[in-house]
Amino acid sequence: MLPALTGQSQEQISSFLKEAGEPAFRAGQIMEWIWKKKVTSIDAMTNLPAALRAKLSEHFRLGALEHTHTQGSHDTTRKFLFRLHDHRYVESVLIPANPALYGEKSDRRTLCVSSQVGCAYGCRFCASGLAGFTRNLDPSEIAGQVLSAEQLSGERVDNLVFMGMGEPLANLDNLLAAIGLITGEKSLHLGARHLTISTSGLVPKIRQLAEHPQQIRLAISLHGATDDVRNQIMPVNKKWPVAELFDALDYWNSRKNQKLTLEYILIQGVNDSLEQAAILARHARKLHAKVNLIPYNTVEGLDWKRPAVSHCRAFQDVLKNAGVSATLRLEKGHDIDAACGQLRLKQETQEGIIEAPVKQR
Ligand code: SAH
Ligand code: SF4
């Protein structure tokens, strides 16, 4: 299959043009058609000579994502399902302002972007990990989610969180290529500070990303303050236990000036004891990190439950009393299976692409 134009950097398009004997300024025009005018076909690039459009079509497909479904919710969170060229599915969630979570102004929109089809890390509570790993998304499929979300909603996306399906740091090369397109002046031109990568804790990749020159934010899916608790729910912790993870985060802090975020899903009877809260508070203080508490979103086929709101608040109070900035996430999109991976799981199960997940608990 031909490579996607939406996955090419301006430099790559320029070198294609050079080899094809075309003038260099065409690269800027092509970028503008793709990323600013958001065309849906190469033929729609009407200021390019017909011969150049034909040449482009011989070597590339445009690579726009095929949108198959939007699931809306009353709080205007919308979830988009896209079918990929190999008939797999991937999803993105457009979330209206959530100042409690991102500390942003109230008119901001955040897009939750997927980085892989499925996920190999198999966290016990997560829909994305349930059916295992299928494949990495390529740069056009990652950046294309932003392009399509803007097209479909008619709105500008202000913030990106790589918290959709997949483990972004397990697909770091493609992720960084996509980030080049997302932040590039000639493409989507979003500030790196508005991008947050979430990871379950791939220590070597955290260290590698710490060397990246852009000020991208990092969030860690911690979900347990000790190896005991983390080992029960996140197999990744067996490879990189808590102490190694925190060493890598210290290193991150030494290279970056953005505050780290520790994400902590509250699952009843699993990781929600107030002792865990106290240990979490100590870690967060040491790292100067803020904490996002997220009451667990139920996943079809899994028995985990969220604690009572009063208990979530008690957990939050332990952190606050220790001087840690801790937000309890306001509910957005619970009614549309907003825990990423769920919509795709339903679709692929219905189509018989994957088998219905087996209960893990
Ligand atoms: N693989 C990366 C990014 C994708 S998961 C990571 O693990 O960080 C994004 C976030 O959603 C993670 O914090 C993950 O733990 C959380 N998550 C997964 N399933 C969830 C659920 N059912 N309810 C609430 N949050 C969930
Ligand atoms: Fe993968 Fe993240 Fe889900 Fe864990 S929480 S299975 S790393 S997507």
Side-chain angles (χ1 to χ4, degrees):
M1 196 186 33
L2 297 173
L5 257 189
T6 50
Q8 308 295 309
S9 63
Q10 183 162 3
E11 295 69 41
Q12 287 170 316
I13 294 179
S14 295
S15 68
F16 167 79
L17 291 170
K18 198 169 172 195
E19 254 174 52
E22 297 282 348
F25 74 92
R26 297 286 184 206
Q29 289 181 323
I30 295 170
M31 291 296 280
E32 187 164 342
W33 281 115
I34 300 172
W35 298 103
K36 310 278 188 221
K37 297 182 183 156
K38 303 182 170 66
V39 282
T40 52
S41 74
I42 291 176
D43 257 347
M45 303 182 180
T46 48
N47 64 356
L48 304 184
L52 174 54
R53 276 182 267 158
K55 228 183 266 177
L56 277 176
S57 305
E58 258 172 48
H59 291 87
F60 299 100
R61 64 197 160 91
L62 179 63
L65 295 181
E66 185 192 341
H67 168 245
T68 58
H69 188 68
T70 300
Q71 204 167 320
S73 92
H74 62 80
D75 63 7
T76 73
T77 294
R78 273 154 292 168
K79 190 166 202 164
F80 305 115
L81 189 67
F82 301 107
R83 183 167 32 222
L84 306 172
H85 60 80
D86 56 356
H87 287 227
R88 304 309 297 237
Y89 287 86
V90 82
E91 59 196 57
S92 327
V93 186
L94 186 61
I95 310 158
N98 191 344
L101 179 53
Y102 303 110
E104 294 291 351
K105 293 197 199 96
S106 55
D107 58 344
R108 304 229 142 201
R109 278 163 302 273
T110 297
L111 188 72
C112 180
V113 174
S114 295
S115 56
Q116 300 181 312
V117 182
C119 180
Y121 287 84
C123 302
R124 306 263 184 264
F125 47 80
C126 173
S128 299
L130 263 185
F133 173 70
T134 302
R135 69 169 175 90
N136 282 329
L137 296 183
D138 68 24
S140 79
E141 292 166 329
I142 299 173
Q145 294 171 60
V146 191
L147 188 64
S148 295
E150 289 196 344
Q151 243 168 356
L152 291 165
S153 66
E155 292 164 358
R156 172 92 179 142
V157 169
D158 309 284
N159 291 301
L160 281 196
V161 290
F162 294 96
M163 292 185 185
M165 204 184 352
E167 168 50 57
L169 293 193
N171 187 17
L172 189 54
D173 291 347
N174 287 343
L175 182 76
L176 290 177
I179 286 176
L181 292 165
I182 289 163
T183 56
E185 203 180 320
K186 290 280 163 51
S187 29
L188 286 169
H189 205 195
L190 238 126
R193 284 183 165 70
H194 298 283
L195 270 51
T196 302
I197 297 177
S198 175
T199 179
S200 57
L202 277 56
V203 162
K205 299 290 177 181
I206 293 172
R207 290 179 180 273
Q208 189 184 333
L209 189 64
E211 304 299 339
H212 185 75
Q214 288 178 298
Q215 287 293 333
I216 303 163
R217 291 175 191 260
L218 188 65
I220 304 297
S221 291
L222 197 63
H223 310 332
T226 56
D227 285 328
D228 262 17
V229 172
R230 244 184 150 238
N231 281 341
Q232 279 178 44
I233 50 178
M234 301 181 75
V236 69
N237 195 72
K238 304 225 164 97
K239 193 150 188 196
W240 294 293
V242 169
E244 279 182 45
L245 176 58
F246 285 117
D247 276 352
L249 297 181
D250 277 334
Y251 182 68
W252 174 274
N253 276 342
S254 73
R255 312 287 305 181
K256 304 274 177 186
N257 42 35
Q258 304 273 18
K259 260 195 173 189
L260 280 165
T261 301
L262 302 178
E263 294 167 273
Y264 201 101
I265 307 178
L266 291 164
I267 312 175
Q268 192 178 55
V270 174
N271 65 357
D272 64 341
S273 74
L274 300 186
E275 290 77 45
Q276 285 288 306
I279 302 168
L280 173 61
R282 284 204 291 279
H283 288 314
R285 280 181 58 145
K286 260 208 197 133
L287 287 167
H288 307 287
K290 51 187 179 175
V291 176
N292 274 331
L293 299 173
I294 310 145
Y296 183 64
N297 259 316
T298 29
V299 171
E300 229 177 279
L302 297 178
D303 287 341
W304 313 93
K305 285 194 188 64
R306 53 173 56 191
V309 175
S310 58
H311 186 75
C312 295
R313 294 218 187 279
F315 195 99
Q316 181 186 24
D317 285 343
V318 172
L319 293 161
K320 281 189 169 168
N321 292 339
V324 174
S325 145
T327 51
L328 187 56
R329 193 188 276 189
L330 294 169
E331 199 59 83
K332 295 264 175 194
H334 191 45
D335 52 335
I336 59 163
D337 305 331
C340 266
Q342 297 194 48
L343 191 55
R344 162 262 174 178
L345 202 59
K346 251 183 217 166
Q347 183 70 32
E348 292 197 352
T349 309
Q350 264 166 27
E351 291 188 15
I353 298 173
I354 50 178
E355 280 178 33
V358 191
K359 258 193 185 174
Q360 301 206 345
R361 193 192 182 215

